[in-house]
């Protein structure tokens, strides 16, 4: 997805258990914690939730982390997040978070980028059924019990993973 033209691929449905975190959110999760960590912990606590990311998206996060905290930490983070994410591919010129969501049928994109959370972006993404929210907004509305019942089926057993592993 390039900001000046709509995506050419249209997804009929998205999967509410699939989440994409933009590079700014990934970096904030590591370096700041706070709302980015709370939002991503919802994903990490549940084995039935999926974090999607393209190589380009992870490279962008690694660049941000390296600029703030150094190459060593950025490289270690990249290795860890490579194991956690489900890899998707998209065209090189696409906006990495949105393109990752479209490629992976994700229902959620977490970002601090106001251009992506704007009404204009929402209108452009309506055909894809993708919700773009700040991490704080996602954490506030995330209801694992209701989502589990709908997406997996049965009674919600609670978190099944430690988000720090």
């Amino acid at each position: 997805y390039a900001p000046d033209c709509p995506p050419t691929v249209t997804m009929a449905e998205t999967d509410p258990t699939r989440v994409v975190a933009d590079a700014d959110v990934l970096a904030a999760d590591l370096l700041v914690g706070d709302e980015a960590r709370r939002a991503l912990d919802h994903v990490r606590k549940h084995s039935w939730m999926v974090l999607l990311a393209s190589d380009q998206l992870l490279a962008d996060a690694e660049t941000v982390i390296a600029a703030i905290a150094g190459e060593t930490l950025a490289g270690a983070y990249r290795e860890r997040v490579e194991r956690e994410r489900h890899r998707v591919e998209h065209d090189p010129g696409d906006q990495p978070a949105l393109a990752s969501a479209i490629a992976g049928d994700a229902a959620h994109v977490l970002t601090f980028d106001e251009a992506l959370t704007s009404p204009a972006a929402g209108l452009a993404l309506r055909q894809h059924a993708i919700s773009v929210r700040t991490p704080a907004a996602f954490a506030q509305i995330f209801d694992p019990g209701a989502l589990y019942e709908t997406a997996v089926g049965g009674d919600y057993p609670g978190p099944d993973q430690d988000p720090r592993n």
Side-chain angles (χ1 to χ4, degrees):
Y1 177 81
D4 58 343
C5 63
T8 56
V9 178
T10 301
M11 299 296 171
E13 290 186 30
T14 56
D15 184 337
T17 66
R18 292 175 166 242
V19 178
V20 173
D22 206 354
D24 57 355
V25 175
L26 293 172
D29 173 43
L30 174 68
L31 301 172
V32 179
D34 202 27
E35 60 192 52
R37 185 156 310 138
R38 276 194 303 275
L40 288 175
D41 276 355
H42 284 307
V43 177
R44 289 187 285 254
K45 286 179 185 179
H46 301 96
S47 62
W48 45 271
M49 294 291 294
V50 179
L51 178 66
L52 301 169
S54 67
D55 290 341
Q56 183 180 346
L57 179 56
L58 295 187
D60 289 353
E62 184 178 16
T63 299
V64 171
I65 294 165
I68 296 169
E71 296 287 334
T72 303
L73 182 60
Y77 176 78
R78 174 78 184 253
E79 285 180 28
R80 190 188 108 232
V81 79
E82 289 266 358
R83 293 186 304 269
E84 292 179 0
R85 62 101 184 225
H86 176 83
R87 185 176 183 270
V88 293
E89 294 183 18
H90 58 78
D91 292 335
D94 291 346
Q95 199 288 341
L98 297 180
S100 291
I102 292 168
D105 298 333
H108 309 282
V109 173
L110 310 180
T111 187
F112 292 112
D113 185 342
E114 291 178 359
L116 297 180
T117 59
S118 72
L123 226 94
L125 292 170
R126 186 172 50 184
Q127 66 181 327
H128 298 285
I130 297 172
S131 171
V132 181
R133 293 180 172 24
T134 64
F138 176 80
Q140 186 174 13
I141 64 147
F142 184 76
D143 181 353
L147 182 56
Y148 185 88
E149 185 178 323
T150 302
V152 180
D155 293 332
Y156 174 60
D160 62 352
Q161 298 184 139
D162 181 348
R164 299 292 156 249
N165 287 341

